[in-house]
Structure formats: structure tokens, C-alpha cells
């Protein structure tokens, strides 16, 4: 996968993360300082700190889930594993990553996982 595409997806993911943080700050003024502290670190620092538990508790479950997916995708970028299905090891099509930049599974593996969880 081309580095230019990965950089583009990283930008999208960083913007998604910033949007979640902004939403959180609007919901609760008490967390603005925490949000600013987290945003000032780099991706590795943020990933290792794994977001303060109180922040996740104040997020809606949907935002918390989306934030976790975004952070995992950013970690895969940092590890050089972005765009590779973590189940089968095949490349995830760029069109799928454009639609779901946080995805870690190809369509086939995701379909199988959904079928087995029903």
C-alpha cells in the first residue's frame, strides 16, 4: 500500500479522533483540560495511556466504540500493519478503507465474523 494513501487515512483518523474529543469537551466542560492534555501528546503516547477511564465513561457508548476503533487503526499505522486484515493477512481494498478507515478486516473475514456471532 502506498505511503501517500496511508498518510491520507492517518489524517482522516486523526480528524475523527479530534471530532470525538471536541464532542466530549462540549458535553462536559470539566474534561476540557483532559482533552487538551491528550491531544497535545503524540500517537504513541496516547495509545500507551489508552485514554483515561473517566473520559470513556463520559462518552456515549457509540463514541467510545468509535474512539477505540480509531485508536487501534492509528496503532496499526504506527506499527506498519495498516490495511492488512488481521484475520487472514490479505490486503484490505483501498475503497473499503476509504469508507471505513478504522477497519481491520477485509469484507470476507468481517462477513464470516458477523455470521458466526448471530
Amino acid at each position: 500500500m502506498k505511503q501517500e494513501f496511508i498518510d491520507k487515512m492517518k489524517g482522516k483518523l486523526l480528524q475523527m479522533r479530534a471530532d470525538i474529543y471536541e464532542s466530549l469537551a462540549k458535553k462536559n466542560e470539566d474534561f476540557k483540560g483532559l482533552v487538551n492534555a491528550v491531544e497535545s501528546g503524540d500517537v504513541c503516547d496516547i495509545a500507551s495511556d489508552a485514554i483515561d477511564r473517566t473520559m470513556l465513561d463520559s462518552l456515549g457508548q457509540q463514541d467510545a466504540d468509535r474512539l477505540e476503533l480509531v485508536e487501534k487503526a492509528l496503532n496499526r499505522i504506527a506499527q506498519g500493519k495498516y490495511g492488512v486484515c488481521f484475520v487472514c493477512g490479505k490486503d484490505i481494498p483501498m475503497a473499503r478503507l476509504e469508507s471505513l478507515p478504522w477497519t481491520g478486516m477485509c469484507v470476507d473475514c468481517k462477513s464470516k465474523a458477523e455470521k458466526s456471532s448471530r
Side-chain angles (χ1 to χ4, degrees), residues 43-100:
V43 175
C44 294
D45 289 341
I46 293 167
S48 67
D49 292 342
I51 311 297
D52 190 314
R53 179 57 39 201
T54 52
M55 179 185 279
L56 287 177
D57 290 343
S58 71
L59 287 170
Q61 188 60 47
Q62 186 177 10
D63 280 343
D65 292 345
R66 189 167 50 119
L67 181 59
E68 183 178 354
L69 292 170
V70 167
E71 291 293 348
K72 286 180 178 180
L74 288 168
N75 286 336
R76 287 192 301 275
I77 288 172
Q79 296 171 356
K81 297 178 181 179
Y82 184 76
V84 177
C85 179
F86 57 75
V87 176
C88 70
K90 294 180 183 175
D91 286 344
I92 299 170
M94 289 192 301
R96 178 165 171 75
L97 292 169
E98 284 277 355
S99 298
L100 303 167

Coordinates of all heavy atoms in Angstrom, one line a residue, residues 43-100:
V43 N 0.9 10.1 18.9 CA 0.0 8.9 18.8 C 0.5 7.8 19.7 O -0.3 7.2 20.4 CB 0.0 8.4 17.3 CG1 -0.7 7.1 17.2 CG2 -0.6 9.4 16.4
C44 N 1.8 7.6 19.8 CA 2.3 6.6 20.7 C 2.0 6.8 22.2 O 1.6 5.9 22.9 CB 3.8 6.4 20.5 SG 4.2 5.8 18.9
D45 N 2.1 8.1 22.6 CA 1.8 8.5 24.0 C 0.4 8.2 24.3 O 0.0 7.7 25.3 CB 2.1 10.0 24.3 CG 3.6 10.3 24.3 OD1 4.4 9.3 24.5 OD2 4.0 11.4 24.2
I46 N -0.5 8.6 23.4 CA -1.9 8.5 23.5 C -2.3 7.0 23.6 O -3.1 6.6 24.4 CB -2.7 9.2 22.4 CG1 -2.5 10.7 22.6 CG2 -4.2 8.9 22.5 CD1 -2.9 11.5 21.4
A47 N -1.7 6.3 22.7 CA -2.0 4.8 22.6 C -1.6 4.2 23.9 O -2.3 3.3 24.5 CB -1.3 4.2 21.5
S48 N -0.4 4.5 24.5 CA 0.0 3.9 25.7 C -0.8 4.3 26.9 O -0.9 3.5 27.8 CB 1.5 4.1 25.9 OG 1.7 5.5 26.1
D49 N -1.3 5.5 26.9 CA -2.1 6.0 28.0 C -3.5 5.4 27.9 O -4.2 5.3 28.9 CB -2.2 7.5 28.0 CG -0.8 8.1 28.4 OD1 0.0 7.4 29.0 OD2 -0.6 9.3 28.1
A50 N -4.0 5.0 26.7 CA -5.2 4.4 26.5 C -6.5 5.1 27.0 O -7.4 4.5 27.4 CB -5.2 2.9 27.0
I51 N -6.4 6.4 27.0 CA -7.5 7.3 27.4 C -8.0 7.0 28.8 O -8.4 5.9 29.1 CB -8.7 7.2 26.4 CG1 -8.3 7.4 25.0 CG2 -9.7 8.3 26.8 CD1 -7.6 8.7 24.6
D52 N -8.0 8.0 29.6 CA -8.4 7.9 31.0 C -9.8 7.3 31.1 O -10.7 7.6 30.3 CB -8.5 9.3 31.6 CG -8.7 9.4 33.1 OD1 -9.6 8.7 33.6 OD2 -7.9 10.1 33.7
R53 N -10.0 6.4 32.0 CA -11.3 5.7 32.2 C -12.5 6.6 32.4 O -13.6 6.4 31.9 CB -11.2 4.7 33.4 CG -12.4 3.9 33.7 CD -13.0 3.0 32.7 NE -12.2 2.2 31.8 CZ -12.6 1.7 30.6 NH1 -13.9 1.9 30.2 NH2 -11.9 1.0 29.8
T54 N -12.3 7.7 33.1 CA -13.4 8.6 33.3 C -13.8 9.3 32.0 O -15.0 9.6 31.8 CB -13.0 9.7 34.3 OG1 -11.8 10.3 33.9 CG2 -12.9 9.2 35.7
M55 N -12.9 9.5 31.1 CA -13.2 10.1 29.8 C -14.1 9.1 29.0 O -15.2 9.5 28.5 CB -12.0 10.4 29.0 CG -12.3 11.0 27.6 SD -10.9 11.2 26.6 CE -10.3 12.8 27.2
L56 N -13.8 7.8 29.0 CA -14.6 6.9 28.3 C -16.0 6.7 28.9 O -17.0 6.5 28.2 CB -13.9 5.5 28.3 CG -12.7 5.4 27.3 CD1 -12.0 4.0 27.5 CD2 -13.1 5.7 25.9
D57 N -16.0 6.8 30.3 CA -17.3 6.7 30.9 C -18.2 7.9 30.6 O -19.4 7.7 30.5 CB -17.1 6.7 32.5 CG -16.5 5.4 32.9 OD1 -16.5 4.4 32.1 OD2 -16.0 5.3 34.1
S58 N -17.7 9.0 30.3 CA -18.5 10.2 30.0 C -18.9 10.2 28.5 O -19.8 10.9 28.2 CB -17.7 11.5 30.3 OG -16.7 11.7 29.4
L59 N -18.2 9.4 27.7 CA -18.6 9.3 26.3 C -19.9 8.4 26.2 O -20.1 7.5 26.9 CB -17.5 8.7 25.5 CG -16.3 9.5 25.1 CD1 -15.2 8.6 24.5 CD2 -16.6 10.6 24.2
G60 N -20.6 8.6 25.1 CA -21.7 7.7 24.8 C -21.0 6.4 24.4 O -19.8 6.4 23.9
Q61 N -21.7 5.3 24.5 CA -21.1 4.0 24.1 C -20.7 4.0 22.6 O -19.6 3.5 22.3 CB -22.1 2.9 24.4 CG -21.4 1.5 24.2 CD -20.2 1.3 25.1 OE1 -20.3 1.5 26.3 NE2 -19.1 0.8 24.6
Q62 N -21.4 4.6 21.8 CA -21.1 4.7 20.4 C -19.8 5.5 20.2 O -18.9 5.0 19.4 CB -22.2 5.3 19.6 CG -22.0 5.3 18.1 CD -23.2 5.8 17.3 OE1 -24.1 6.4 17.9 NE2 -23.2 5.7 16.0
D63 N -19.7 6.6 20.8 CA -18.4 7.4 20.7 C -17.2 6.6 21.3 O -16.2 6.7 20.7 CB -18.6 8.7 21.4 CG -19.3 9.8 20.6 OD1 -19.5 9.6 19.4 OD2 -19.8 10.8 21.2
A64 N -17.5 6.0 22.4 CA -16.4 5.2 23.0 C -15.9 4.1 22.1 O -14.7 3.8 21.9 CB -16.8 4.6 24.3
D65 N -16.9 3.4 21.4 CA -16.5 2.3 20.5 C -15.8 2.9 19.3 O -14.8 2.3 18.9 CB -17.8 1.6 20.0 CG -18.5 0.8 21.1 OD1 -17.8 0.5 22.2 OD2 -19.6 0.4 20.9
R66 N -16.3 4.0 18.8 CA -15.6 4.6 17.6 C -14.2 5.1 17.9 O -13.3 4.9 17.2 CB -16.5 5.7 17.1 CG -16.0 6.3 15.7 CD -17.1 7.2 15.1 NE -17.5 8.2 16.0 CZ -17.4 9.5 15.8 NH1 -16.8 10.0 14.7 NH2 -17.8 10.4 16.7
L67 N -14.1 5.7 19.1 CA -12.8 6.1 19.5 C -11.8 5.0 19.7 O -10.6 5.0 19.2 CB -12.8 6.9 20.9 CG -11.5 7.4 21.4 CD1 -10.9 8.4 20.5 CD2 -11.8 8.1 22.8
E68 N -12.2 3.8 20.2 CA -11.4 2.7 20.3 C -10.9 2.2 19.0 O -9.8 1.8 18.8 CB -12.1 1.6 21.1 CG -11.3 0.3 21.3 CD -12.0 -0.7 22.1 OE1 -13.1 -0.5 22.6 OE2 -11.4 -1.8 22.3
L69 N -11.9 2.1 18.0 CA -11.5 1.7 16.7 C -10.5 2.6 16.0 O -9.6 2.1 15.3 CB -12.8 1.6 15.8 CG -13.8 0.5 16.2 CD1 -15.1 0.6 15.4 CD2 -13.2 -0.9 15.9
V70 N -10.7 3.9 16.2 CA -9.8 4.9 15.6 C -8.4 4.7 16.2 O -7.4 4.7 15.5 CB -10.4 6.3 15.8 CG1 -9.3 7.4 15.5 CG2 -11.6 6.5 14.9
E71 N -8.3 4.6 17.5 CA -7.0 4.4 18.2 C -6.3 3.2 17.7 O -5.1 3.2 17.5 CB -7.2 4.4 19.7 CG -7.6 5.7 20.3 CD -6.6 6.8 20.2 OE1 -5.4 6.5 19.9 OE2 -6.9 8.0 20.5
K72 N -7.1 2.1 17.5 CA -6.5 0.8 17.1 C -5.9 1.0 15.6 O -4.9 0.5 15.3 CB -7.5 -0.3 17.1 CG -7.7 -0.8 18.6 CD -8.7 -1.9 18.6 CE -8.9 -2.4 20.0 NZ -9.9 -3.6 20.1
A73 N -6.7 1.7 14.8 CA -6.2 1.9 13.4 C -5.0 2.8 13.4 O -4.0 2.5 12.7 CB -7.3 2.6 12.6
L74 N -4.9 3.8 14.3 CA -3.7 4.6 14.4 C -2.5 3.8 14.9 O -1.4 4.0 14.4 CB -4.0 5.8 15.3 CG -4.9 6.9 14.7 CD1 -5.3 7.9 15.8 CD2 -4.2 7.6 13.5
N75 N -2.8 2.9 15.8 CA -1.7 2.0 16.2 C -1.2 1.1 15.1 O 0.0 0.9 15.0 CB -2.2 1.1 17.4 CG -2.3 1.9 18.7 OD1 -1.7 2.9 18.9 ND2 -3.2 1.4 19.6
R76 N -2.1 0.6 14.3 CA -1.7 -0.3 13.1 C -0.9 0.6 12.2 O 0.1 0.0 11.6 CB -2.9 -0.9 12.4 CG -3.6 -2.0 13.2 CD -4.6 -2.8 12.4 NE -5.7 -2.0 11.9 CZ -6.8 -1.6 12.5 NH1 -7.0 -2.0 13.8 NH2 -7.7 -0.9 11.9
I77 N -1.2 1.8 12.0 CA -0.4 2.7 11.1 C 1.0 2.8 11.7 O 2.0 2.7 11.0 CB -1.1 4.1 10.9 CG1 -2.3 3.9 10.0 CG2 -0.1 5.1 10.3 CD1 -3.1 5.2 9.9
A78 N 1.1 3.1 13.0 CA 2.4 3.2 13.7 C 3.2 2.0 13.6 O 4.4 2.0 13.5 CB 2.2 3.7 15.1
Q79 N 2.6 0.8 13.6 CA 3.3 -0.5 13.5 C 3.5 -1.0 12.1 O 4.1 -2.0 11.9 CB 2.4 -1.5 14.3 CG 2.3 -1.3 15.7 CD 1.3 -2.2 16.4 OE1 0.6 -3.0 15.7 NE2 1.1 -2.1 17.7
G80 N 3.0 -0.2 11.1 CA 3.2 -0.6 9.7 C 2.3 -1.8 9.3 O 2.6 -2.5 8.3
K81 N 1.2 -1.9 10.0 CA 0.2 -3.0 9.7 C -1.1 -2.5 9.2 O -2.0 -3.3 9.0 CB 0.0 -3.9 11.0 CG 1.3 -4.5 11.5 CD 1.0 -5.3 12.8 CE 2.2 -5.9 13.3 NZ 2.0 -6.7 14.6
Y82 N -1.2 -1.3 8.9 CA -2.5 -0.7 8.4 C -2.8 -1.2 7.0 O -1.9 -1.4 6.2 CB -2.4 0.8 8.4 CG -3.7 1.5 8.0 CD1 -4.7 1.6 8.9 CD2 -3.9 2.0 6.7 CE1 -5.9 2.1 8.6 CE2 -5.1 2.6 6.4 CZ -6.1 2.7 7.3 OH -7.3 3.2 7.0
G83 N -4.1 -1.6 6.8 CA -4.5 -2.0 5.5 C -4.4 -3.5 5.3 O -4.6 -4.0 4.2
V84 N -4.0 -4.2 6.3 CA -3.8 -5.7 6.2 C -4.8 -6.3 7.2 O -4.9 -6.0 8.4 CB -2.4 -6.1 6.6 CG1 -2.2 -7.6 6.6 CG2 -1.4 -5.5 5.7
C85 N -5.6 -7.2 6.7 CA -6.6 -7.9 7.5 C -5.9 -8.7 8.6 O -5.0 -9.5 8.4 CB -7.4 -8.9 6.7 SG -8.7 -9.8 7.6
F86 N -6.4 -8.4 9.9 CA -5.7 -9.1 11.0 C -6.2 -10.5 11.2 O -5.6 -11.3 12.0 CB -5.8 -8.3 12.3 CG -7.2 -8.0 12.8 CD1 -8.0 -8.9 13.3 CD2 -7.6 -6.7 12.6 CE1 -9.3 -8.6 13.8 CE2 -8.9 -6.3 13.1 CZ -9.7 -7.3 13.6
V87 N -7.1 -11.0 10.3 CA -7.6 -12.4 10.4 C -6.9 -13.2 9.4 O -6.2 -14.2 9.7 CB -9.1 -12.5 10.2 CG1 -9.6 -13.9 10.2 CG2 -9.8 -11.7 11.3
C88 N -7.0 -12.8 8.1 CA -6.4 -13.6 7.0 C -5.1 -13.1 6.5 O -4.4 -13.8 5.8 CB -7.4 -13.7 5.9 SG -7.6 -12.2 4.9
G89 N -4.7 -11.9 6.8 CA -3.4 -11.3 6.4 C -3.4 -10.8 5.0 O -2.4 -10.3 4.5
K90 N -4.6 -10.8 4.3 CA -4.6 -10.2 2.9 C -4.8 -8.7 3.0 O -5.3 -8.1 4.0 CB -5.8 -10.8 2.2 CG -5.7 -12.3 1.9 CD -6.9 -12.8 1.1 CE -6.7 -14.3 0.9 NZ -8.0 -14.8 0.2
D91 N -4.4 -8.0 1.9 CA -4.6 -6.5 1.9 C -6.1 -6.2 1.9 O -6.9 -6.9 1.2 CB -4.0 -5.9 0.6 CG -2.5 -5.9 0.8 OD1 -1.9 -6.0 1.9 OD2 -1.8 -5.7 -0.3
I92 N -6.5 -5.2 2.6 CA -7.9 -4.7 2.6 C -7.9 -3.7 1.5 O -7.1 -2.8 1.3 CB -8.2 -4.0 4.0 CG1 -8.1 -5.0 5.1 CG2 -9.6 -3.4 3.9 CD1 -8.1 -4.3 6.5
P93 N -9.0 -3.8 0.6 CA -9.1 -2.9 -0.5 C -9.1 -1.4 -0.1 O -9.8 -1.1 0.9 CB -10.4 -3.3 -1.2 CG -10.6 -4.7 -0.8 CD -10.0 -4.8 0.6
M94 N -8.5 -0.6 -0.9 CA -8.5 0.8 -0.5 C -9.9 1.4 -0.5 O -10.1 2.3 0.3 CB -7.6 1.6 -1.5 CG -6.1 1.3 -1.3 SD -4.9 2.4 -2.1 CE -5.4 2.2 -3.8
A95 N -10.8 1.0 -1.3 CA -12.1 1.5 -1.3 C -12.8 1.2 0.0 O -13.5 2.1 0.6 CB -13.0 0.9 -2.5
R96 N -12.5 0.1 0.6 CA -13.1 -0.3 1.9 C -12.5 0.6 3.0 O -13.2 1.1 3.9 CB -12.9 -1.7 2.3 CG -13.4 -2.1 3.6 CD -13.4 -3.7 3.8 NE -13.7 -4.1 5.1 CZ -14.9 -4.1 5.7 NH1 -15.9 -3.6 5.1 NH2 -15.0 -4.5 7.0
L97 N -11.2 0.9 2.9 CA -10.5 1.7 3.9 C -11.0 3.2 3.7 O -11.1 3.9 4.7 CB -9.0 1.6 3.7 CG -8.4 0.3 4.1 CD1 -6.9 0.2 3.7 CD2 -8.5 0.0 5.6
E98 N -11.3 3.6 2.5 CA -11.8 5.0 2.3 C -13.1 5.1 3.0 O -13.4 6.1 3.7 CB -12.0 5.2 0.8 CG -10.8 5.5 0.0 CD -10.3 6.9 0.1 OE1 -11.0 7.8 0.7 OE2 -9.2 7.2 -0.4
S99 N -14.0 4.1 3.0 CA -15.3 4.1 3.6 C -15.2 3.9 5.1 O -15.9 4.5 5.9 CB -16.2 3.0 3.0 OG -16.4 3.2 1.7
L100 N -14.4 3.0 5.5 CA -14.2 2.6 7.0 C -12.7 2.7 7.3 O -12.1 1.6 7.4 CB -14.8 1.2 7.2 CG -16.2 1.0 6.8 CD1 -16.5 -0.5 6.9 CD2 -17.1 1.7 7.8

